[in-house]
Amino acid sequence: MGQKKIATVFILMLFLIMTVLSACSKSDSSNGSEAAGGAASSADGNAGKESITLRLTVWGAPEEVEPYKNVIQKFEAEHTNIKVELQHIAADYDTKLTTMVAGNDVPDIAMMESGSIAYPLAEQGKFYNLQDFLATDSDMNESSLVPNITYSLEPGNVIGIAPGPETFALFYNEDVFKELGIEPPPSKASEAWSWDQFVEVAKQLTLDSNGKNATEDGFDPKNIKQYGLNLPTWWGSYSNFIYSNGGDFVSQDGQSFALNQPEAVEALQKMADLINVHHVSPSPVQAKNIPSTNVALQTKKVAMAIDGQWASSALAKSNFNFNVGVLPVMKEPMTTVVCAMFSIFKSSEHPEEAWELVKALIEPEASIDMIKAGTWMPAARDWYTDETLLAKWTEGLASRPSGYKDAVIDVLLNHSHQTPTGYVKNFNKIMDVVNPALDKVWLGKESAQEAMDSIAAKAQEQVKGRRDIAN
Protein backbone atom coordinates (compact mmCIF):
# COMPACT_ATOMS: atom_id res chain seq x y z
CA MET A 1 0.00 0.00 0.00
CA GLY A 2 2.92 2.30 0.82
CA GLN A 3 4.41 1.64 -2.61
CA LYS A 4 1.12 2.63 -4.30
CA LYS A 5 1.07 5.89 -2.37
CA ILE A 6 4.65 6.62 -3.39
CA ALA A 7 3.84 5.87 -7.02
CA THR A 8 0.77 8.11 -6.89
CA VAL A 9 2.73 10.98 -5.35
CA PHE A 10 5.47 10.54 -7.95
CA ILE A 11 2.96 10.69 -10.81
CA LEU A 12 1.34 13.82 -9.36
CA MET A 13 4.71 15.52 -8.96
CA LEU A 14 5.69 14.62 -12.52
CA PHE A 15 2.38 16.06 -13.79
CA LEU A 16 2.90 19.30 -11.87
CA ILE A 17 6.46 19.70 -13.20
CA MET A 18 5.31 19.19 -16.80
CA THR A 19 2.48 21.71 -16.30
CA VAL A 20 4.88 24.35 -14.97
CA LEU A 21 7.34 23.76 -17.81
CA SER A 22 4.52 24.07 -20.33
CA ALA A 23 3.32 27.35 -18.78
CA CYS A 24 6.85 28.77 -18.81
CA SER A 25 7.20 27.82 -22.45
CA LYS A 26 3.97 29.66 -23.32
CA SER A 27 5.04 32.66 -21.28
CA ASP A 28 8.38 32.81 -23.04
CA SER A 29 6.62 32.53 -26.39
CA SER A 30 4.24 35.41 -25.84
CA ASN A 31 6.51 37.72 -23.84
CA GLY A 32 9.87 37.36 -25.50
CA SER A 33 10.43 41.10 -25.51
CA GLU A 34 10.07 41.17 -21.71
CA ALA A 35 12.55 38.34 -21.29
CA ALA A 36 14.99 40.30 -23.42
CA GLY A 37 14.56 43.40 -21.27
CA GLY A 38 12.42 45.12 -23.88
CA ALA A 39 15.19 45.04 -26.50
CA ALA A 40 14.28 44.31 -30.13
CA SER A 41 14.84 40.66 -31.10
CA SER A 42 16.60 39.38 -34.17
CA ALA A 43 14.57 37.57 -36.81
CA ASP A 44 15.97 34.21 -35.68
CA GLY A 45 15.01 34.99 -32.07
CA ASN A 46 11.35 35.38 -33.07
CA ALA A 47 10.97 31.79 -34.19
CA GLY A 48 8.10 30.13 -32.35
CA LYS A 49 6.75 33.34 -30.85
CA GLU A 50 3.10 34.23 -30.89
CA SER A 51 2.08 36.04 -34.08
CA ILE A 52 0.65 39.44 -33.22
CA THR A 53 -0.60 42.53 -35.03
CA LEU A 54 0.04 46.12 -33.99
CA ARG A 55 -2.06 48.94 -35.36
CA LEU A 56 -0.43 52.35 -35.90
CA THR A 57 -2.50 55.46 -36.67
CA VAL A 58 -0.87 58.61 -38.09
CA TRP A 59 -1.67 61.81 -39.98
CA GLY A 60 0.55 63.72 -42.43
CA ALA A 61 1.20 64.46 -46.08
CA PRO A 62 2.23 61.49 -48.25
CA GLU A 63 5.91 62.40 -48.00
CA GLU A 64 5.62 62.44 -44.21
CA VAL A 65 3.93 59.04 -44.12
CA GLU A 66 6.55 57.38 -46.33
CA PRO A 67 9.17 57.16 -43.53
CA TYR A 68 6.65 55.30 -41.37
CA LYS A 69 6.26 52.71 -44.11
CA ASN A 70 10.02 52.27 -44.22
CA VAL A 71 10.15 51.89 -40.44
CA ILE A 72 7.43 49.26 -40.54
CA GLN A 73 9.17 47.27 -43.26
CA LYS A 74 12.40 47.19 -41.29
CA PHE A 75 10.62 46.51 -37.99
CA GLU A 76 8.70 43.55 -39.42
CA ALA A 77 11.93 42.11 -40.87
CA GLU A 78 13.50 42.22 -37.40
CA HIS A 79 10.36 41.02 -35.62
CA THR A 80 9.02 38.29 -37.90
CA ASN A 81 6.18 37.45 -35.52
CA ILE A 82 4.79 41.01 -35.65
CA LYS A 83 2.61 42.50 -38.36
CA VAL A 84 2.08 46.27 -38.30
CA GLU A 85 -1.04 47.77 -39.84
CA LEU A 86 -0.55 51.42 -40.80
CA GLN A 87 -3.70 53.52 -40.74
CA HIS A 88 -3.21 56.92 -42.36
CA ILE A 89 -5.96 59.43 -41.60
CA ALA A 90 -5.39 62.31 -44.00
CA ALA A 91 -8.13 64.68 -42.77
CA ASP A 92 -10.28 65.28 -39.67
CA TYR A 93 -7.84 63.18 -37.68
CA ASP A 94 -9.02 64.17 -34.21
CA THR A 95 -12.67 63.65 -35.02
CA LYS A 96 -12.13 60.27 -36.64
CA LEU A 97 -9.82 59.02 -33.89
CA THR A 98 -12.25 60.18 -31.19
CA THR A 99 -15.03 58.27 -32.96
CA MET A 100 -12.83 55.17 -33.17
CA VAL A 101 -12.03 55.31 -29.45
CA ALA A 102 -15.71 55.78 -28.56
CA GLY A 103 -16.51 52.69 -30.63
CA ASN A 104 -13.71 50.61 -29.05
CA ASP A 105 -11.94 50.51 -32.41
CA VAL A 106 -8.64 51.59 -30.89
CA PRO A 107 -5.14 51.35 -32.40
CA ASP A 108 -2.18 50.19 -30.35
CA ILE A 109 -0.19 53.34 -31.11
CA ALA A 110 -1.42 56.70 -32.36
CA MET A 111 0.15 60.00 -33.28
CA MET A 112 -1.38 62.59 -30.99
CA GLU A 113 -1.56 66.39 -30.86
CA SER A 114 -1.00 67.88 -27.40
CA GLY A 115 -3.29 70.83 -28.04
CA SER A 116 -6.38 68.83 -28.94
CA ILE A 117 -7.42 65.29 -27.98
CA ALA A 118 -4.29 63.89 -26.32
CA TYR A 119 -4.93 65.23 -22.84
CA PRO A 120 -8.69 64.61 -22.75
CA LEU A 121 -7.97 60.97 -23.62
CA ALA A 122 -5.13 60.81 -21.09
CA GLU A 123 -7.44 62.13 -18.37
CA GLN A 124 -9.79 59.25 -19.20
CA GLY A 125 -6.91 56.85 -18.50
CA LYS A 126 -6.55 55.76 -22.11
CA PHE A 127 -2.73 55.72 -22.36
CA TYR A 128 0.11 53.71 -20.89
CA ASN A 129 2.55 55.58 -18.68
CA LEU A 130 5.67 55.60 -20.87
CA GLN A 131 7.78 56.61 -17.88
CA ASP A 132 7.74 52.93 -16.90
CA PHE A 133 9.49 52.10 -20.18
CA LEU A 134 11.86 55.09 -20.13
CA ALA A 135 12.98 54.21 -16.61
CA THR A 136 14.14 50.71 -17.56
CA ASP A 137 15.10 50.92 -21.25
CA SER A 138 18.83 51.13 -21.91
CA ASP A 139 18.36 52.26 -25.52
CA MET A 140 15.96 55.16 -25.07
CA ASN A 141 15.38 57.18 -21.93
CA GLU A 142 14.86 60.82 -21.02
CA SER A 143 18.58 61.57 -20.97
CA SER A 144 18.98 60.19 -24.50
CA LEU A 145 16.29 62.53 -25.89
CA VAL A 146 16.48 66.25 -26.64
CA PRO A 147 14.64 68.48 -24.13
CA ASN A 148 10.93 69.26 -24.15
CA ILE A 149 9.69 66.39 -26.33
CA THR A 150 7.98 64.25 -23.70
CA TYR A 151 4.42 65.05 -22.64
CA SER A 152 3.14 64.26 -19.14
CA LEU A 153 -0.32 64.15 -17.64
CA GLU A 154 1.35 64.88 -14.31
CA PRO A 155 4.91 64.50 -13.00
CA GLY A 156 5.99 60.91 -13.55
CA ASN A 157 3.17 60.02 -15.95
CA VAL A 158 4.46 60.36 -19.53
CA ILE A 159 1.65 59.99 -22.06
CA GLY A 160 3.60 60.60 -25.25
CA ILE A 161 7.01 61.07 -26.84
CA ALA A 162 7.63 63.19 -29.93
CA PRO A 163 9.47 61.76 -32.95
CA GLY A 164 11.30 65.09 -33.17
CA PRO A 165 11.25 68.69 -31.95
CA GLU A 166 10.31 71.82 -33.87
CA THR A 167 11.56 75.25 -32.80
CA PHE A 168 11.31 78.83 -34.04
CA ALA A 169 13.91 81.04 -35.68
CA LEU A 170 14.40 84.18 -37.77
CA PHE A 171 14.63 83.36 -41.49
CA TYR A 172 15.81 86.02 -43.93
CA ASN A 173 16.74 86.84 -47.53
CA GLU A 174 20.53 87.35 -47.60
CA ASP A 175 20.41 89.36 -50.82
CA VAL A 176 18.09 91.99 -49.32
CA PHE A 177 20.58 92.66 -46.51
CA LYS A 178 23.47 92.88 -48.98
CA GLU A 179 21.59 95.25 -51.29
CA LEU A 180 20.78 97.60 -48.40
CA GLY A 181 24.19 97.24 -46.76
CA ILE A 182 22.72 96.00 -43.49
CA GLU A 183 24.39 93.45 -41.21
CA PRO A 184 22.30 90.26 -41.18
CA PRO A 185 20.85 88.73 -38.01
CA PRO A 186 23.36 87.00 -35.72
CA SER A 187 23.05 83.24 -35.39
CA LYS A 188 24.58 82.81 -31.91
CA ALA A 189 22.32 83.23 -28.87
CA SER A 190 25.11 85.11 -27.08
CA GLU A 191 25.07 87.72 -29.87
CA ALA A 192 21.30 87.94 -30.38
CA TRP A 193 19.78 91.32 -31.16
CA SER A 194 18.01 93.10 -28.34
CA TRP A 195 14.40 93.94 -29.12
CA ASP A 196 15.29 97.57 -29.83
CA GLN A 197 18.06 96.54 -32.24
CA PHE A 198 15.65 94.18 -33.95
CA VAL A 199 13.04 96.94 -34.39
CA GLU A 200 15.62 99.35 -35.81
CA VAL A 201 16.82 96.85 -38.43
CA ALA A 202 13.23 95.94 -39.33
CA LYS A 203 12.53 99.63 -39.96
CA GLN A 204 15.50 99.93 -42.31
CA LEU A 205 14.26 96.87 -44.22
CA THR A 206 10.69 98.15 -44.59
CA LEU A 207 10.27 100.05 -47.87
CA ASP A 208 7.29 101.94 -49.24
CA SER A 209 6.37 102.20 -52.91
CA ASN A 210 8.73 105.22 -53.29
CA GLY A 211 11.70 103.35 -51.84
CA LYS A 212 11.69 105.17 -48.48
CA ASN A 213 12.28 103.06 -45.38
CA ALA A 214 10.41 103.33 -42.09
CA THR A 215 13.13 105.49 -40.49
CA GLU A 216 12.90 108.22 -43.14
CA ASP A 217 10.71 111.30 -43.36
CA GLY A 218 7.93 110.91 -45.87
CA PHE A 219 7.67 107.13 -45.40
CA ASP A 220 4.18 105.99 -46.40
CA PRO A 221 2.95 103.16 -44.12
CA LYS A 222 -0.15 102.71 -46.29
CA ASN A 223 1.85 101.80 -49.38
CA ILE A 224 4.49 99.27 -48.32
CA LYS A 225 6.11 97.12 -50.98
CA GLN A 226 8.57 95.29 -48.68
CA TYR A 227 7.96 94.59 -45.00
CA GLY A 228 10.96 94.18 -42.76
CA LEU A 229 9.30 91.25 -41.04
CA ASN A 230 6.44 88.80 -41.25
CA LEU A 231 5.23 88.00 -37.74
CA PRO A 232 2.62 85.26 -37.27
CA THR A 233 0.16 86.09 -34.50
CA TRP A 234 -0.70 82.59 -33.24
CA TRP A 235 0.34 81.45 -29.75
CA GLY A 236 3.29 79.38 -31.00
CA SER A 237 4.89 82.53 -32.40
CA TYR A 238 4.28 84.94 -29.55
CA SER A 239 5.03 82.35 -26.84
CA ASN A 240 8.72 82.65 -27.77
CA PHE A 241 8.76 86.27 -26.65
CA ILE A 242 6.56 85.81 -23.60
CA TYR A 243 9.04 83.22 -22.35
CA SER A 244 12.02 85.37 -23.40
CA ASN A 245 10.58 88.19 -21.28
CA GLY A 246 10.05 85.97 -18.24
CA GLY A 247 6.29 85.66 -18.69
CA ASP A 248 3.94 82.69 -18.93
CA PHE A 249 0.36 81.75 -19.74
CA VAL A 250 -0.42 80.80 -16.14
CA SER A 251 1.36 81.47 -12.86
CA GLN A 252 4.11 79.20 -11.55
CA ASP A 253 1.74 77.56 -9.09
CA GLY A 254 -0.81 77.07 -11.87
CA GLN A 255 -3.53 78.91 -9.99
CA SER A 256 -3.72 82.21 -11.88
CA PHE A 257 -4.13 83.50 -15.41
CA ALA A 258 -0.86 85.23 -16.31
CA LEU A 259 -1.20 86.81 -19.75
CA ASN A 260 -2.33 90.03 -18.06
CA GLN A 261 0.82 90.17 -15.94
CA PRO A 262 3.60 92.72 -16.76
CA GLU A 263 6.07 90.32 -18.44
CA ALA A 264 3.48 88.81 -20.81
CA VAL A 265 1.72 92.11 -21.49
CA GLU A 266 5.00 93.83 -22.38
CA ALA A 267 5.92 91.09 -24.85
CA LEU A 268 2.49 91.12 -26.49
CA GLN A 269 2.49 94.91 -26.75
CA LYS A 270 5.94 95.05 -28.30
CA MET A 271 4.86 92.54 -30.90
CA ALA A 272 1.70 94.50 -31.67
CA ASP A 273 3.78 97.69 -31.98
CA LEU A 274 5.69 96.08 -34.83
CA ILE A 275 2.42 96.20 -36.75
CA ASN A 276 0.68 99.34 -35.55
CA VAL A 277 3.45 101.69 -34.39
CA HIS A 278 6.55 100.80 -36.39
CA HIS A 279 4.71 99.49 -39.49
CA VAL A 280 7.40 96.86 -40.13
CA SER A 281 5.07 93.83 -40.12
CA PRO A 282 1.72 93.32 -41.83
CA SER A 283 -1.47 93.28 -39.78
CA PRO A 284 -3.53 90.07 -39.75
CA VAL A 285 -5.68 91.61 -42.50
CA GLN A 286 -2.66 92.60 -44.62
CA ALA A 287 -0.99 89.26 -43.92
CA LYS A 288 -3.69 87.52 -45.94
CA ASN A 289 -1.94 88.89 -49.02
CA ILE A 290 1.48 87.72 -47.86
CA PRO A 291 2.42 84.31 -49.30
CA SER A 292 4.10 81.49 -47.39
CA THR A 293 7.51 82.15 -45.84
CA ASN A 294 9.57 80.74 -48.72
CA VAL A 295 7.66 82.71 -51.37
CA ALA A 296 7.44 85.88 -49.29
CA LEU A 297 11.19 85.94 -48.72
CA GLN A 298 12.05 84.95 -52.28
CA THR A 299 9.83 87.63 -53.83
CA LYS A 300 10.99 90.22 -51.26
CA LYS A 301 7.51 90.81 -49.94
CA VAL A 302 9.30 90.56 -46.60
CA ALA A 303 12.98 90.62 -45.66
CA MET A 304 12.72 88.50 -42.50
CA ALA A 305 10.17 86.02 -41.19
CA ILE A 306 9.67 84.40 -37.81
CA ASP A 307 8.69 80.80 -38.46
CA GLY A 308 9.18 77.23 -37.30
CA GLN A 309 12.28 75.37 -38.42
CA TRP A 310 9.99 73.26 -40.62
CA ALA A 311 10.05 76.20 -43.03
CA SER A 312 13.56 75.04 -43.94
CA SER A 313 12.10 72.36 -46.20
CA ALA A 314 10.22 74.72 -48.55
CA LEU A 315 13.02 77.30 -48.37
CA ALA A 316 15.54 74.68 -49.49
CA LYS A 317 13.50 74.12 -52.65
CA SER A 318 13.35 77.84 -53.46
CA ASN A 319 15.94 79.36 -55.72
CA PHE A 320 17.34 82.23 -53.62
CA ASN A 321 19.88 82.88 -50.88
CA PHE A 322 18.21 82.41 -47.53
CA ASN A 323 19.70 82.01 -44.08
CA VAL A 324 18.57 81.72 -40.48
CA GLY A 325 19.35 83.80 -37.41
CA VAL A 326 18.52 83.52 -33.74
CA LEU A 327 15.31 85.14 -32.49
CA PRO A 328 15.69 88.61 -30.96
CA VAL A 329 15.86 88.69 -27.17
CA MET A 330 13.73 90.56 -24.68
CA LYS A 331 15.44 89.34 -21.50
CA GLU A 332 17.01 86.01 -22.43
CA PRO A 333 17.30 83.80 -25.54
CA MET A 334 14.37 81.43 -25.80
CA THR A 335 12.43 79.31 -28.26
CA THR A 336 9.28 77.26 -27.82
CA VAL A 337 9.42 73.57 -28.76
CA VAL A 338 6.31 72.30 -30.52
CA CYS A 339 5.78 68.74 -31.75
CA ALA A 340 3.34 65.87 -32.05
CA MET A 341 3.72 62.69 -29.99
CA PHE A 342 3.32 58.93 -30.16
CA SER A 343 1.15 57.40 -27.45
CA ILE A 344 0.35 53.76 -26.61
CA PHE A 345 -3.26 52.98 -25.77
CA LYS A 346 -3.92 50.95 -22.63
CA SER A 347 -6.25 48.75 -24.63
CA SER A 348 -3.20 47.36 -26.47
CA GLU A 349 -2.65 43.72 -25.58
CA HIS A 350 1.02 44.00 -26.54
CA PRO A 351 2.50 47.04 -24.77
CA GLU A 352 6.11 45.80 -24.79
CA GLU A 353 6.03 45.20 -28.53
CA ALA A 354 4.25 48.53 -29.04
CA TRP A 355 7.06 50.23 -27.11
CA GLU A 356 9.62 48.64 -29.42
CA LEU A 357 7.70 50.05 -32.40
CA VAL A 358 7.59 53.51 -30.81
CA LYS A 359 11.37 53.34 -30.39
CA ALA A 360 11.74 52.37 -34.05
CA LEU A 361 9.51 55.27 -35.13
CA ILE A 362 11.54 57.75 -33.08
CA GLU A 363 14.94 56.46 -34.25
CA PRO A 364 16.34 59.28 -36.47
CA GLU A 365 17.79 56.97 -39.09
CA ALA A 366 14.28 55.82 -39.88
CA SER A 367 13.25 59.29 -41.07
CA ILE A 368 16.64 60.53 -42.26
CA ASP A 369 15.29 61.69 -45.63
CA MET A 370 12.70 63.95 -44.00
CA ILE A 371 15.27 65.22 -41.51
CA LYS A 372 17.75 66.06 -44.26
CA ALA A 373 15.00 67.73 -46.29
CA GLY A 374 14.38 70.13 -43.41
CA THR A 375 10.88 69.02 -42.44
CA TRP A 376 11.86 67.33 -39.18
CA MET A 377 14.63 67.34 -36.59
CA PRO A 378 15.94 64.27 -34.72
CA ALA A 379 14.61 63.27 -31.30
CA ALA A 380 17.85 61.60 -30.16
CA ARG A 381 20.30 63.87 -28.34
CA ASP A 382 23.40 62.17 -29.75
CA TRP A 383 22.35 63.29 -33.25
CA TYR A 384 23.13 66.81 -32.03
CA THR A 385 26.24 66.11 -29.96
CA ASP A 386 28.04 63.43 -31.99
CA GLU A 387 29.82 65.21 -34.84
CA THR A 388 29.45 62.26 -37.24
CA LEU A 389 25.71 61.96 -36.67
CA LEU A 390 25.26 65.74 -36.70
CA ALA A 391 26.99 65.98 -40.08
CA LYS A 392 24.49 63.49 -41.53
CA TRP A 393 21.68 66.02 -41.39
CA THR A 394 23.38 69.41 -41.33
CA GLU A 395 26.38 69.38 -43.67
CA GLY A 396 26.18 70.34 -47.34
CA LEU A 397 22.39 70.59 -47.43
CA ALA A 398 20.29 73.41 -48.84
CA SER A 399 17.93 73.01 -45.88
CA ARG A 400 20.70 73.77 -43.39
CA PRO A 401 22.30 77.17 -44.15
CA SER A 402 25.34 78.48 -42.31
CA GLY A 403 23.41 79.93 -39.36
CA TYR A 404 21.41 76.78 -38.65
CA LYS A 405 23.60 75.04 -36.07
CA ASP A 406 23.79 78.08 -33.80
CA ALA A 407 20.36 79.59 -34.40
CA VAL A 408 18.38 76.36 -34.23
CA ILE A 409 20.38 73.49 -32.74
CA ASP A 410 22.20 75.36 -29.97
CA VAL A 411 19.05 77.23 -29.00
CA LEU A 412 17.05 74.00 -28.85
CA LEU A 413 19.58 72.30 -26.59
CA ASN A 414 20.28 75.25 -24.31
CA HIS A 415 17.51 77.84 -24.57
CA SER A 416 14.21 76.07 -25.17
CA HIS A 417 10.86 75.93 -23.39
CA GLN A 418 8.11 73.34 -23.54
CA THR A 419 5.00 74.22 -25.51
CA PRO A 420 2.23 75.60 -23.29
CA THR A 421 -0.07 72.87 -24.60
CA GLY A 422 2.15 70.41 -22.74
CA TYR A 423 1.82 71.85 -19.24
CA VAL A 424 -1.08 74.34 -19.09
CA LYS A 425 -4.22 72.44 -18.16
CA ASN A 426 -7.31 73.37 -20.16
CA PHE A 427 -5.10 75.35 -22.56
CA ASN A 428 -7.57 75.40 -25.44
CA LYS A 429 -10.42 76.69 -23.30
CA ILE A 430 -8.20 79.46 -21.96
CA MET A 431 -7.15 80.44 -25.48
CA ASP A 432 -10.77 80.45 -26.67
CA VAL A 433 -11.17 83.41 -24.31
CA VAL A 434 -7.80 85.00 -25.09
CA ASN A 435 -7.73 84.88 -28.89
CA PRO A 436 -10.64 87.23 -29.67
CA ALA A 437 -9.18 89.79 -27.26
CA LEU A 438 -5.75 89.54 -28.85
CA ASP A 439 -7.28 90.08 -32.28
CA LYS A 440 -8.10 93.61 -31.11
CA VAL A 441 -4.49 94.09 -30.00
CA TRP A 442 -3.04 92.98 -33.36
CA LEU A 443 -5.44 95.35 -35.12
CA GLY A 444 -4.44 98.23 -32.86
CA LYS A 445 -7.91 98.66 -31.37
CA GLU A 446 -6.84 97.98 -27.76
CA SER A 447 -3.59 97.85 -25.83
CA ALA A 448 -2.37 94.45 -24.65
CA GLN A 449 -3.03 95.46 -21.05
CA GLU A 450 -6.58 96.60 -21.77
CA ALA A 451 -7.38 93.48 -23.78
CA MET A 452 -5.95 91.00 -21.28
CA ASP A 453 -7.50 92.77 -18.30
CA SER A 454 -10.88 92.77 -20.02
CA ILE A 455 -10.98 88.99 -20.24
CA ALA A 456 -8.89 88.11 -17.16
CA ALA A 457 -11.86 87.09 -15.00
CA LYS A 458 -13.37 84.95 -17.75
CA ALA A 459 -9.99 83.35 -18.54
CA GLN A 460 -9.42 82.72 -14.83
CA GLU A 461 -12.55 80.56 -14.78
CA GLN A 462 -10.80 78.22 -17.23
CA VAL A 463 -7.51 77.97 -15.32
CA LYS A 464 -7.22 74.45 -13.92
CA GLY A 465 -3.55 74.23 -12.94
CA ARG A 466 -0.29 72.98 -14.43
CA ARG A 467 0.81 69.51 -15.42
CA ASP A 468 4.48 70.04 -14.61
CA ILE A 469 3.91 70.42 -10.87
CA ALA A 470 2.23 68.16 -8.34
CA ASN A 471 -1.16 69.70 -7.55
Side-chain angles (χ1 to χ4, degrees):
M1 188 71 175
Q3 288 180 335
K4 287 184 178 179
K5 284 184 178 180
I6 291 171
T8 300
V9 170
F10 177 77
I11 291 170
L12 286 170
M13 289 180 65
L14 184 62
F15 176 76
L16 287 169
I17 290 169
M18 292 180 69
T19 300
V20 170
L21 288 173
S22 174
C24 290
S25 173
K26 288 180 181 178
S27 176
D28 287 346
S29 172
S30 61
N31 295 304
S33 59
E34 284 186 279
S41 307
S42 66
D44 291 339
N46 292 303
K49 287 185 179 180
E50 173 192 9
S51 294
I52 67 172
T53 298
L54 294 175
R55 211 163 121 217
L56 168 65
T57 304
V58 301
W59 69 72
E63 64 268 20
E64 293 178 290
V65 177
E66 197 62 33
Y68 300 139
K69 294 179 180 178
N70 296 334
V71 170
I72 289 170
Q73 185 177 17
K74 182 180 178 183
F75 184 81
E76 289 179 339
E78 294 175 350
H79 303 77
T80 54
N81 64 312
I82 302 176
K83 172 70 175 175
V84 179
E85 291 182 358
L86 177 63
Q87 182 178 18
H88 175 218
I89 301 176
D92 297 324
Y93 184 90
D94 288 356
T95 301
K96 290 177 182 176
L97 185 59
T98 300
T99 302
M100 288 163 54
V101 173
N104 292 319
D105 178 24
V106 188
D108 295 88
I109 302 166
M111 181 171 267
M112 306 296 298
E113 168 56 49
S114 62
S116 52
I117 62 172
Y119 282 106
L121 289 175
E123 287 164 356
Q124 295 172 30
K126 297 295 186 181
F127 299 132
Y128 273 102
N129 182 359
L130 303 184
Q131 181 62 44
D132 296 338
F133 296 101
L134 290 168
T136 57
D137 198 296
S138 59
D139 297 324
M140 189 172 78
N141 48 64
E142 290 195 66
S143 64
S144 71
L145 299 171
V146 295
N148 299 310
I149 65 167
T150 59
Y151 291 88
S152 297
L153 182 63
E154 58 193 6
N157 186 353
V158 177
I159 64 165
I161 303 174
E166 296 285 7
T167 63
F168 293 83
L170 185 62
F171 295 90
Y172 62 95
N173 185 319
E174 286 189 316
D175 292 337
V176 170
F177 280 83
K178 289 178 182 177
E179 290 166 7
L180 296 176
I182 300 172
E183 193 72 21
S187 58
K188 294 181 183 296
S190 60
E191 301 171 0
W193 281 334
S194 68
W195 190 261
D196 289 343
Q197 289 175 312
F198 172 57
V199 171
E200 186 60 28
V201 172
K203 286 181 177 180
Q204 295 174 41
L205 293 166
T206 301
L207 306 176
D208 67 14
S209 56
N210 294 317
K212 288 185 178 292
N213 70 45
T215 69
E216 295 178 308
D217 291 337
F219 169 74
D220 185 0
K222 294 183 179 180
N223 290 289
I224 295 174
K225 68 175 182 180
Q226 175 180 289
Y227 284 98
L229 173 74
N230 191 30
L231 177 72
T233 53
W234 67 291
W235 62 260
S237 177
Y238 62 74
S239 66
N240 295 279
F241 303 107
I242 289 176
Y243 296 140
S244 175
N245 207 39
D248 208 329
F249 290 76
V250 294
S251 59
Q252 289 189 348
D253 63 5
Q255 299 304 304
S256 304
F257 176 65
L259 288 182
N260 65 335
Q261 296 304 301
E263 297 83 0
V265 165
E266 182 181 26
L268 292 169
Q269 189 61 58
K270 285 185 174 181
M271 293 179 67
D273 287 349
L274 293 172
I275 299 169
N276 302 304
V277 175
H278 306 302
H279 308 292
V280 299
S281 184
S283 70
V285 175
Q286 294 164 330
K288 292 178 180 178
N289 297 318
I290 301 293
S292 58
T293 292
N294 63 312
V295 177
L297 288 175
Q298 183 178 15
T299 58
K300 301 180 182 179
K301 296 284 186 184
V302 300
M304 301 183 290
I306 291 173
D307 208 338
Q309 84 80 40
W310 57 82
S312 302
S313 178
L315 285 164
K317 298 174 184 176
S318 304
N319 187 26
F320 77 104
N321 297 320
F322 83 96
N323 213 323
V324 58
V326 66
L327 292 175
V329 169
M330 289 193 174
K331 289 181 180 174
E332 60 179 321
M334 192 61 64
T335 188
T336 303
V337 178
V338 294
C339 41
M341 69 180 92
F342 283 117
S343 300
I344 300 176
F345 278 91
K346 265 191 180 174
S347 54
S348 174
E349 297 179 357
H350 309 286
E352 290 82 10
E353 291 84 355
W355 171 249
E356 291 302 320
L357 180 54
V358 167
K359 287 167 58 180
L361 291 164
I362 291 174
E363 164 57 42
E365 197 67 61
S367 54
I368 188 63
D369 290 341
M370 295 297 291
I371 291 172
K372 289 169 70 173
T375 308
W376 295 343
M377 296 169 72
R381 185 182 289 270
D382 58 358
W383 279 66
Y384 297 76
T385 57
D386 182 299
E387 289 300 325
T388 302
L389 293 175
L390 179 62
K392 276 190 174 186
W393 64 283
T394 60
E395 296 294 335
L397 298 170
S399 59
R400 310 303 186 198
S402 60
Y404 188 86
K405 287 184 182 179
D406 288 325
V408 178
I409 293 176
D410 176 69
V411 174
L412 166 67
L413 295 179
N414 300 302
H415 307 284
S416 61
H417 196 290
Q418 187 183 24
T419 169
T421 62
Y423 69 90
V424 177
K425 292 184 178 181
N426 217 30
F427 180 78
N428 279 355
K429 294 289 182 66
I430 295 172
M431 298 312 293
D432 285 343
V433 177
V434 169
N435 288 331
L438 278 181
D439 286 342
K440 298 177 183 178
V441 178
W442 308 134
L443 292 171
K445 295 180 178 180
E446 288 187 5
S447 71
Q449 190 71 67
E450 291 169 338
M452 293 300 95
D453 283 346
S454 71
I455 51 90
K458 192 174 180 182
Q460 180 62 42
E461 294 174 3
Q462 301 299 331
V463 174
K464 306 299 181 185
R466 295 175 68 115
R467 303 187 187 281
D468 55 353
I469 61 174
N471 293 311

